[in-house]
Amino acid sequence: MLELRFLGQFEILQNGTPVRLTSRPAQSLLAYLCLHPGKAFRREMLAGMMWPEASETSARNNLRQALWRIRKSLEDGRSGHNDYLLTDDLSIAFNAEQPYWLDAEALAQPVEPDADAVQLAQIVAVYGGELLPGFYDEWTVLERERLQAVFERRMGQLLERLIADRDWVQTAGWADRWIALGNTRKPPTAP
């Protein structure tokens, strides 16, 4: 199983073993595909988005190199192949049918209105910080803002639930964590 952590870090584990992918463009491409699982993107769109300053030929070459690096890093050592990327001559997609876990997806999952504090805490706990720190692609900045808003909403729900439950120890702990993660919005207060 592939485990992907993009909140507060860039980390990939495959069957519990760290995966080494040192190329920043390859990391950015993989993250983009993973954040949109199952959606096929045209190669020219990805090349233009990832390498906007490059000529079309250079951008497409860069895309091929990044894809090669991703495939090589995710290659199954036993069989020598990779089932996580779906590619053809026109498009590339992250294969959502393969077993994987993505922290950003876990954070953004729908929450039932009557979710209890334990469920909300499990969701909020996956947030390790901003999405892909140190990445400054335009798409990253927009996605970072979206996930930050999701985190703030989930944390607000958790704190409101803990306050309603009068669980002051947990409320203080989660509020401290919210502040430590750089949140500037005022958390809910006790009635």
Side-chain angles (χ1 to χ4, degrees):
M1 181 164 118
L2 199 62
E3 186 176 324
L4 304 136
R5 296 185 186 279
F6 300 152
L7 297 173
Q9 62 190 322
F10 181 92
E11 181 183 47
I12 306 169
L13 299 172
Q14 192 167 28
N15 300 321
T17 303
V19 171
R20 189 163 174 218
L21 180 61
T22 58
S23 163
R24 183 58 66 104
Q27 291 174 350
S28 184
L29 177 61
L30 178 62
Y32 185 80
L33 294 170
C34 291
L35 288 164
H36 303 92
K39 183 174 181 185
F41 294 96
R42 293 191 58 86
R43 285 176 177 261
E44 64 268 12
M45 187 284 288
L46 290 171
M49 182 180 72
M50 296 290 167
W51 296 275
E53 304 298 320
S55 70
E56 184 178 342
T57 302
S58 282
R60 288 184 68 92
N61 284 337
N62 291 340
L63 178 64
R64 278 192 292 278
Q65 283 184 329
L67 274 173
W68 180 83
R69 285 186 167 104
I70 294 167
R71 281 188 181 117
K72 196 74 177 152
S73 68
L74 297 180
E75 193 172 87
D76 182 341
R78 297 173 309 245
S79 65
H81 66 82
N82 167 350
D83 296 323
Y84 284 99
L85 293 180
L86 302 173
T87 62
D88 59 31
D89 290 341
L90 298 176
S91 64
I92 304 167
F94 180 75
N95 187 355
E97 300 300 315
Q98 290 297 315
Y100 77 97
W101 180 87
L102 174 61
D103 58 359
E105 196 172 86
L107 175 70
Q109 68 181 306
V111 175
E112 295 296 323
D114 61 344
D116 64 21
V118 172
Q119 293 167 311
L120 291 166
Q122 289 172 341
I123 293 168
V124 171
V126 304
Y127 189 83
E130 73 178 15
L131 176 72
L132 300 170
F135 288 64
Y136 300 105
D137 304 311
E138 186 176 324
W139 76 265
T140 309
V141 174
L142 296 172
E143 191 68 12
R144 184 177 294 143
E145 290 172 2
R146 183 187 76 78
L147 288 169
Q148 177 68 30
V150 170
F151 168 70
E152 290 175 9
R153 202 168 40 254
R154 298 285 186 260
M155 183 62 88
Q157 290 172 309
L158 172 59
L159 291 173
E160 286 172 3
R161 180 72 54 185
L162 290 169
I163 289 168
D165 293 347
R166 304 179 74 76
D167 187 341
W168 308 123
V169 173
Q170 289 289 326
T171 301
W174 282 105
D176 287 345
R177 176 152 186 228
W178 195 4
I179 293 166
L181 288 169
N183 194 286
T184 57
R185 201 178 112 208
K186 184 180 171 194
T189 55

